[in-house]
Amino acid sequence: MKLIIRNAKIIDPQSPFHNQTVDILIVDGFIEKIGNSLANADNAEIF
C-alpha cells in the first residue's frame, strides 16, 4: 500500500524536517520519502 500525506507538520527535534510542513510518502507502513510537493507517479492514496 502506498500513501501520501500532504502538508504534514513534522514535530521531532531530532529530524532535519523539524517544524516544517512537508509531504510524506509511506510505502507498506514505512516512510519512503519526505519532501515538498511529492509527485504521485505510483497513484498512491492521498490523505
Side-chain angles (χ1 to χ4, degrees), residues 6-34:
R6 297 274 189 212
N7 299 316
K9 176 99 178 202
I10 305 295
I11 307 296
D12 180 0
Q14 302 297 319
S15 170
F17 299 100
H18 180 60
N19 275 338
Q20 293 183 31
T21 301
V22 294
D23 295 346
I24 303 171
L25 172 62
I26 300 173
V27 178
D28 296 327
F30 294 95
I31 296 174
E32 183 82 15
K33 193 172 197 180
I34 298 174

